[in-house]
Amino acid sequence: MHEPVNLTDLADRYGSDKGSSKHRYTELYHMLFHPFRNRKINFLEMGLLIGGPEHGESANRQTKDLPSIRMWLDYFTKAQITGLDVSDFAWFQHERFKFIRCNMDDRVNISVARQQMEDFDIVIDDASHASHHQQSAFLELFPKVKKGGMYIIEDLRWQPEPYEKPGITKTARLFQSYLTKRKFTHNDPAIASEFNALKDQISGCFVFQARFLKDKRDQVAVIHKR
């Protein structure tokens, strides 16, 4: 059977919410990632299946599928794919897939996980969507992105009540501050300082609204490594 090369087709085939049924991220990703499709790259995705503690489920829930990982393995013909999640997906075996279990609520855990990783060409954060998880992950893992690579943060407009810290600067607002002022602002000066220490490594930053409609809230950020 002829293998589809359109990423949205693959997302819809495997039941990923990145495709046409919900977020439509794959329309953007196909454009960005197609030059990488048949190259030997390292790819990281955080958050492998909807559910988990951010939706009131146990981190030890039973997992039965990895829709987006199956999609990436089909799309990228030579990529080494790393998946990171608070739940256990070690049952999934593929010669080009590596799983790391990590509770991102503690930044130390992300730092420990980082020690098990190679440098990446593409990173996608589709984990809990809690602001401090997104921000801690970026601070720990953006330095692991290769020059010319991309770091993507999904679902900026939704933060889970079980995790979200009251009053924290939202990640969308954090990156919008960089876009408007070329300087990150955050209600925690220490976090702002850490982000600003990385800004010289940023070649470009793009924030897209939900379903790419300008009247919607910010939904996905793409940061290009200098």
Side-chain angles (χ1 to χ4, degrees):
M1 186 176 70
H2 179 68
E3 178 189 1
V5 296
N6 183 277
L7 188 55
T8 298
D9 291 344
L10 286 175
D12 293 347
R13 171 190 288 185
Y14 287 115
S16 170
D17 65 3
K18 300 181 192 298
S20 65
S21 66
K22 191 171 183 181
H23 294 306
R24 295 175 47 196
Y25 295 146
T26 49
E27 297 174 26
L28 173 65
Y29 295 165
H30 185 71
M31 178 175 64
L32 295 176
F33 299 164
H34 197 266
F36 294 87
R37 185 169 182 263
N38 295 310
R39 290 171 50 188
K40 292 183 178 179
I41 64 167
N42 292 326
F43 181 102
L44 169 66
E45 180 167 42
M46 295 173 275
L48 307 184
L49 182 68
I50 191 169
E54 67 270 25
H55 290 280
E57 299 179 44
S58 170
N60 295 317
R61 63 187 169 134
Q62 185 178 11
T63 60
K64 296 181 179 180
D65 198 9
L66 306 88
S68 59
I69 293 297
R70 295 185 191 277
M71 174 184 73
W72 300 128
L73 286 167
D74 267 11
Y75 188 75
F76 294 111
T77 62
K78 299 178 182 178
Q80 293 295 321
I81 310 288
T82 299
L84 182 148
D85 201 282
V86 68
S87 298
D88 186 11
F89 292 85
W91 53 267
F92 182 78
Q93 298 293 312
H94 190 284
E95 61 183 0
R96 292 191 289 112
F97 176 73
K98 174 182 178 180
F99 173 67
I100 299 173
R101 191 170 186 179
C102 178
N103 181 350
M104 296 173 67
D105 205 38
D106 188 335
R107 181 172 167 180
V108 172
N109 295 337
I110 306 173
S111 179
V112 170
R114 183 187 63 190
Q115 306 309 313
Q116 306 174 52
M117 299 174 177
E118 304 291 335
D119 289 350
F120 293 103
D121 298 276
I122 300 169
V123 174
I124 295 182
D125 182 352
D126 185 22
S128 75
H129 315 308
S131 299
H132 67 291
H133 291 192
Q134 294 170 332
Q135 294 163 26
S136 294
F138 185 87
L139 292 172
E140 292 292 334
L141 299 177
F142 187 67
K144 297 283 290 182
V145 176
K146 298 177 185 178
K147 291 182 178 180
M150 288 173 274
Y151 192 106
I152 296 170
I153 308 172
E154 295 183 352
D155 293 6
L156 295 172
R157 64 178 179 160
W158 179 80
Q159 286 73 49
E161 289 186 10
Y163 279 133
E164 191 68 1
K165 293 184 176 180
I168 188 172
T169 298
K170 306 298 186 186
T171 303
R173 188 169 185 175
L174 177 66
F175 280 96
Q176 285 289 0
S177 71
Y178 172 79
L179 285 172
T180 57
K181 303 175 183 177
R182 283 297 185 264
K183 181 179 180 180
F184 289 101
T185 58
H186 195 285
N187 59 9
D188 183 336
I191 297 296
S193 179
E194 285 194 80
F195 268 87
N196 283 310
L198 294 175
K199 68 179 184 178
D200 289 343
Q201 298 181 36
I202 297 174
S203 171
C205 176
F206 308 88
V207 177
F208 299 93
Q209 289 70 46
R211 300 180 70 84
F212 311 108
L213 299 171
K214 290 294 186 181
D215 61 339
K216 302 297 184 181
R217 294 171 60 195
D218 292 341
Q219 178 75 338
V220 59
V222 179
I223 302 95
H224 188 247
K225 186 76 171 280
R226 183 183 296 275

